[in-house]
Amino acid sequence: MSPLPPTLASMHHALGIPPRYATDRQLEPQPEATEAELVAIGTTDEGRPIRVVHGVADQWIRLRDAAARDGITLLPISGFRSIERQAEIIRGKLTAGFPLEEILRYIAAPGFSEHHSGRAIDIGSPEYIGLDEEFARTAAFRWLERHAGAFGFHLSYPPDNHHGIGYEPWHWCWRPDSPGSA
């Protein structure tokens, strides 16, 4: 893995993220999508747009509509997140007293979140919108397990994944090299 750009290295140092974080977690840097690449696919409860890159938006619509035909409602909860926003989230949790290791179990360090790329979507359903393991008990999750791959979406952090990130049944990332991604 190549060294972090100086601004990102400085950010990691300020947050207390170990220099070997990416190597130890086997995480690749994620490019940050530009404003011009992003399109809204919904809004948060606070009214902020949930955005992803254009091609992912198209696949999301196809995925959502296919689920609806099977009686499943999928809701986007989160999409693109900037590197700076990722750092803000970690700072907030540190200020609230959470230990860094616990934070990094569910939140990737700035520069390494798939959300930066605009290809990741946190998904919920009307039956459960919480971002925790309970989502895995829903019909929406079971549908995603069976069908999301056909649309190019993959569960990034299954149980006991090699990245050391906790199980995130809500976090699905579109991969351009997937069979359903064309």
Side-chain angles (χ1 to χ4, degrees):
M1 164 157 284
S2 59
L4 295 176
T7 55
L8 194 55
S10 176
M11 181 184 284
H12 278 214
H13 179 74
L15 292 169
I17 296 168
R20 291 191 43 83
Y21 168 82
T23 302
D24 291 347
R25 296 286 185 102
Q26 300 175 45
L27 291 169
E28 294 295 324
Q30 296 294 315
E32 191 172 60
T34 66
E35 288 296 319
E37 295 173 302
L38 297 167
V39 61
I41 59 168
T43 57
T44 65
D45 289 341
E46 298 85 28
R48 288 188 319 257
I50 298 168
R51 301 177 304 158
V52 296
V53 294
H54 289 278
V56 174
D58 296 340
Q59 291 301 100
W60 162 254
I61 291 166
R62 290 182 60 232
L63 175 76
R64 182 201 62 198
D65 292 352
R69 287 190 294 277
D70 288 341
I72 301 292
T73 301
L74 299 177
L75 302 172
I77 296 174
S78 178
F80 169 78
R81 188 178 310 133
S82 71
I83 290 172
E84 182 53 43
R85 177 66 182 129
Q86 195 81 359
E88 287 173 11
I89 292 168
I90 292 173
R91 280 187 212 105
K93 294 202 173 281
L94 287 169
T95 299
F98 290 94
L100 182 62
E101 188 57 38
E102 182 180 324
I103 295 167
L104 294 177
R105 179 134 168 80
Y106 289 97
I107 299 171
F112 295 91
S113 172
E114 292 175 333
H115 286 286
H116 302 332
S117 70
R119 294 181 295 109
I121 304 175
D122 291 338
I123 300 174
S125 69
E127 66 185 305
Y128 199 82
I129 59 168
L131 298 180
D132 59 46
E133 291 183 22
E134 291 298 313
F135 181 65
R137 296 191 170 120
T138 67
F141 176 75
R142 289 187 298 276
W143 189 93
L144 285 164
E145 278 188 305
R146 288 189 309 275
H147 303 286
F151 299 89
F153 288 93
H154 298 276
L155 181 65
S156 296
Y157 306 113
D160 303 317
N161 63 78
H162 67 276
H163 299 297
I165 293 178
Y167 178 34
E168 294 190 355
W170 63 87
H171 181 101
W172 295 79
C173 190
W174 183 81
R175 308 239 192 283
D177 56 350
S178 297
S181 61

